[in-house]
Amino acid sequence: MSNVQILLVDDHELFRRTTRSFVESHPNWTVCSEAGDGIEAVEKAKKLRPNVILMDINMPRMDGAEATRIIRREVPECNVIVVTQNHSSIARQQAAAVGAQGFVTKSDLGKDLRQVILSVIGVRDAKAVSLGEGHDAIPEWLRGGGALGDLTYKFDWAKTPLGNIAEWPPSLKTIVRVLLTSRFAMWMSWGPELTFLYNDAYARMTLGNKHPWALGKRSQDVWQEIWADIGPRISQVLKDGKATWDEALMLFLERSGYREETYHTFSYSPLFDDKGKTAGHLCVVTEETDRVIGERRLDSLRSLSAELNKATTEDDVTLSVHRCLEENQKDLPFTLTYLLTEDGQQARLACRSGIQEGHPAAPPVIELGEANGVWPLRDLLGGKDSLLMEDLSGRVGTVPSGFWDKEPSRALLLPISGGTQGATAGIFVAGLNPFRPLDVSYAGFISLIAGQISAAITNARAYELEKKRAEALAELDRAKTTFFSNVSHEFRTPLTLMLGPLQDLLSRSQTHLTPTAKQQLELVNRNGARLLRLVNTLLDFSRIEAGRYQAVYQATDLAGFTSELASVFRSATERAGLKLIVDCPRLEEPVYVDRDMWEKVVLNLISNAFKFTFEGEIAVSLERGGNFAELRVRDTGEGIPPEAIPHLFERFYRVPNTRSRTHEGTGIGLALVQELVKLHGGFMRVESTLGKGSTFIVSIPFGQDHLASSQLGGARSLASTAVGAKPFVEEALRWLPDDENTKHEPIAEAELLAVPCPPTAEAGSRPRILVADDNADMRLYLAGLLGEQYQVDCAADGQIAIDIARKHPPNLILSDVMMPNLDGFHSISKRQRNWIMRSRIPFKPTPPAAALDRSFSNSSRGIPLP
Ligand code: ADP
């Protein structure tokens, strides 16, 4: 034989390496591959079909004896040489028992291996030659009959009831020729003893180690183990002359050294002699073992996967595993799923199938520290990927037999992953079907089951963790809501108590107050009101979150109400040079709204439009859109970049770098508006083009079916947080540049120029300070504070500040950092900074008032912003 392909099978890498170098020292021998266990060996033998396999006997997963049997049956052209540590007499027996062609002991490997390989391939070659030589002698009618044709020819038929082959009747010769030349698996019986004949396909597919022994034997002896099943069928055929048909019939064959669960689809048909009398039968057969068992296993995997998909907790997982595996006690006579405890010291029985609770082989807890536990779980935790336990009755006593009448003698143990960072979470124990070999597909099936359990445990644990995290977050959120609620209450009460008397004082004592005192009280009042509005918004949120928002829905002429609210902004828009278009024609039916809430919705949206629009118009409209009343607040302002739109209604979100009338804002206005709209069963959306403007659209359903009846009409028990339109408009007015703001309001004149000059100092000799801040009240306050000693100029944004500074170079600039147009930092950047530097003007961001005095003397010190 020219090039001999050799497969090395041994679980020790070192042994494979030494054998490889020995084998490859021969010029015509090549190691085609290596395998580390029996399962891999079978796989590679089928795929590569090597000439010789050097097979170690003791290996994990599947031992060499089992692998050899399978290979002999499924790849008969491969020669197997058993390699063992045993004494040669035992090695000889082992090799004979599994049908191997040769054996060699590991201790004599160097001495014997070469000769054994030579003799094994030599025998094969010799056989081929002898067959070749005999070929001419084979009579015409036996030619093309393959290996069985040769064997049939050489067989001594004279010792059987069929007599000398040369004298067989034509009817027998004809049928034997049909049999031998067919590639379909067939066997037949003939004569008084139903003498057994078969073809190559049958030898390969079904007969196993009964080949070639079975040739010429009595059929009853060949199939003794299934004669109870097939004997009556054959008798029937012989008697009636009618064919039988069986589909996927389960038969226990003894063809591999053990009783094997197999499935066959076959038909027996009568055979007739020269006189037309029934003389035997022909069996045409397809073995369906792989299909039937494969489908059964697939069913189990499918139903397990379907069940596990629904499982979210560890208990769900173990229940599903129990339910599904209980259904397939043919492949899994019993199973145990142990999960490790958190400290890793014990394994707890999480579920079982096919085995009773309290069975000695199913202890509820296994101490992993104990060396002699029922199951050697500890051995698997060291990183092994599987463990085959033989002699179960000797090790764990009687175990349940599941579907079968014989209990499993072996169990396969596999680790279950799913612990933290892929660590082992447990062990899966599967009792093995005593009638099937642990071949690649069986081992693969069990490891897929263990894999599914692992994945489900991992998911369940991740889900559990996520749930705990979500609960913790929810708890935190609840705490935050309670905190906001408490804090808002605590702020509201004193604020209300301060603002009430203050407003009283302002309205009653006009005559007694000096203009400066009045001015200062008004400043306190305005800012107090602003704070109250913020606190109210926070309170609204906490009430909504706690589900305590008290809504009172009333049938409302929404068009009239909305245009009233919008019109409040008319003076502010006019002062800003904007057109306010209010288009709210009367709707034909009232809309149920909580009026306080609706006020907040409309005012917030118009106030935003005003904040972000510098020229053009603000249009407020209300009209019917299907079953909804649709409010649109459109502006021709700055617009919103598309990537910001999905975040617009998130709490505290503000679009960065948008030009606006003020930098003041908290980013909760729109979030609140959306919550209020949702409380009405409505929704809102926004359409916007950057640089062109935005439209906010609020849709509220008509009718009252979507509202709880308890909330229709009636009175509130909680204090209202509505503040009316005035504070919105007043605040908006304070965002206008000073000249626009002061044009129509004489008092505001004082805000810009109200710098009380001490009579003693001459205005011209006082140092000049430029105050830049977008908050009008802050400008007014600083001007008042500094005006006695300095000449103070005020600017509402960075650009105005630069213009004023150019005209009247100040000795000091006090600037807010965040302002519309040019912010404080930009105002002094590059060109401006050079200019300011040349003028030797110190620059300071606006400090809190208290720090102001201290900071004047020390121009190099930074002062924190308010
Ligand atoms: P605030 O106005 O207090 O910042 P809002 O929740 O009312 O908070 O608005 C969130 C953000 O949405 C604003 O900071 C702004 O960037 C953007 N925005 C809202 N309305 C408009 C509008 N009409 N035009 C442009 N941008 C807007």
Side-chain angles (χ1 to χ4, degrees), residues 155-168 172 195:
F155 192 81
D156 186 2
W157 294 102
K159 290 184 182 151
T160 73
L162 302 193
N164 196 328
I165 193 166
E167 292 154 22
W168 282 3
L172 177 57
T195 304

Side-chain angles (χ1 to χ4, degrees), residues 534 604-613 633-635 637-641 644 647-660 662-673 686 688 693-696 735:
L534 278 176
N604 261 299
L605 293 179
I606 302 181
S607 154
N608 272 351
F610 185 76
K611 197 194 281 187
F612 296 100
T613 307
V633 178
R634 178 176 61 78
D635 63 56
E638 293 301 297
I640 301 157
H647 305 288
L648 219 52
F649 299 104
E650 287 170 12
R651 230 174 286 176
F652 305 116
Y653 178 79
R654 309 184 69 205
V655 182
N657 306 323
T658 303
R659 191 164 83 105
S660 60
T662 176
H663 265 276
E664 288 166 4
T666 46
I668 49 173
L670 284 179
L672 178 68
V673 167
V686 58
S688 186
S694 316
T695 307
F696 285 81
W735 300 333

Side-chain angles (χ1 to χ4, degrees), residues 296-353:
R296 184 170 79 205
R297 290 174 183 164
L298 204 64
D299 267 357
S300 293
L301 288 169
R302 208 181 289 131
S303 74
L304 183 63
S305 136
E307 285 266 345
L308 289 179
N309 271 345
K310 289 183 257 157
T312 47
T313 65
E314 225 172 281
D315 283 349
D316 291 348
V317 171
T318 51
L319 205 70
S320 306
V321 172
H322 163 77
R323 261 203 308 263
C324 292
L325 301 192
E326 194 77 23
E327 298 288 303
N328 182 358
Q329 293 188 15
K330 284 183 179 158
D331 291 306
L332 302 165
F334 72 88
T335 73
L336 302 164
T337 304
Y338 281 96
L339 293 179
L340 304 190
T341 51
E342 237 169 75
D343 59 7
Q345 298 299 310
Q346 293 180 328
R348 187 179 49 79
L349 181 60
C351 73
R352 60 200 155 72
S353 68

Side-chain angles (χ1 to χ4, degrees), residues 756-767 787-791:
C757 303
T760 45
E762 272 185 41
S765 64
R766 280 178 292 153
E788 289 190 15
Q789 291 172 41
Y790 309 98
Q791 273 193 84

Side-chain angles (χ1 to χ4, degrees), residues 445-683:
F445 163 69
I446 297 172
S447 78
L448 279 176
I449 298 264
Q452 286 200 2
I453 300 175
S454 299
I457 292 282
T458 311
N459 289 345
R461 290 188 176 173
Y463 177 81
E464 201 62 30
L465 214 68
E466 198 48 48
K467 210 170 106 199
K468 277 195 190 137
R469 204 175 298 145
E471 273 164 12
L473 280 178
E475 185 50 46
L476 210 69
D477 222 43
R478 271 196 293 279
K480 192 188 71 189
T481 304
T482 315
F483 171 76
F484 268 137
S485 175
N486 292 344
V487 164
S488 314
H489 269 293
E490 289 311 302
F491 276 121
R492 241 167 79 90
T493 317
L495 265 178
T496 319
L497 289 176
M498 278 153 64
L499 288 175
L502 189 65
Q503 280 157 5
D504 245 19
L505 197 64
L506 278 170
S507 60
R508 276 196 289 112
S509 321
Q510 231 156 0
T511 45
H512 309 299
L513 290 172
T514 63
T516 313
K518 184 169 183 277
Q519 221 176 58
Q520 285 174 341
L521 287 182
E522 273 170 347
L523 186 140
V524 174
N525 184 33
R526 270 195 310 273
N527 286 282
R530 183 166 164 230
L531 197 58
L532 185 62
R533 203 153 68 80
L534 278 176
V535 167
N536 279 343
T537 311
L538 286 178
L539 194 61
D540 281 345
F541 264 123
S542 57
R543 281 181 181 171
I544 289 171
E545 280 194 353
R548 287 195 310 121
Y549 202 99
Q550 235 184 24
V552 178
Y553 301 105
Q554 291 171 307
T556 304
D557 164 17
L558 203 60
F561 186 36
T562 307
S563 54
E564 241 172 62
L565 289 169
S567 303
V568 179
F569 269 85
R570 190 163 303 281
S571 63
T573 47
E574 272 170 10
R575 282 188 209 183
L578 298 173
K579 200 164 144 198
L580 177 69
I581 304 168
V582 181
D583 177 20
C584 303
R586 209 181 151 76
L587 297 169
E588 66 274 26
E589 61 175 303
V591 184
Y592 279 83
V593 291
D594 176 301
R595 294 189 191 155
D596 282 359
M597 289 196 219
W598 188 251
E599 183 181 286
K600 286 175 194 165
V601 169
V602 176
L603 295 175
N604 261 299
L605 293 179
I606 302 181
S607 154
N608 272 351
F610 185 76
K611 197 194 281 187
F612 296 100
T613 307
F614 290 84
E615 54 197 36
E617 59 194 38
I618 295 173
V620 181
S621 67
L622 188 85
E623 59 187 11
R624 187 178 193 108
N627 289 329
F628 292 87
E630 233 174 50
L631 166 74
R632 288 172 177 260
V633 178
R634 178 176 61 78
D635 63 56
T636 53
E638 293 301 297
I640 301 157
E643 66 276 9
I645 287 182
H647 305 288
L648 219 52
F649 299 104
E650 287 170 12
R651 230 174 286 176
F652 305 116
Y653 178 79
R654 309 184 69 205
V655 182
N657 306 323
T658 303
R659 191 164 83 105
S660 60
R661 290 187 183 275
T662 176
H663 265 276
E664 288 166 4
T666 46
I668 49 173
L670 284 179
L672 178 68
V673 167
Q674 192 184 45
E675 292 297 336
L676 297 179
V677 170
K678 278 193 207 156
L679 286 176
H680 283 81
F683 57 91

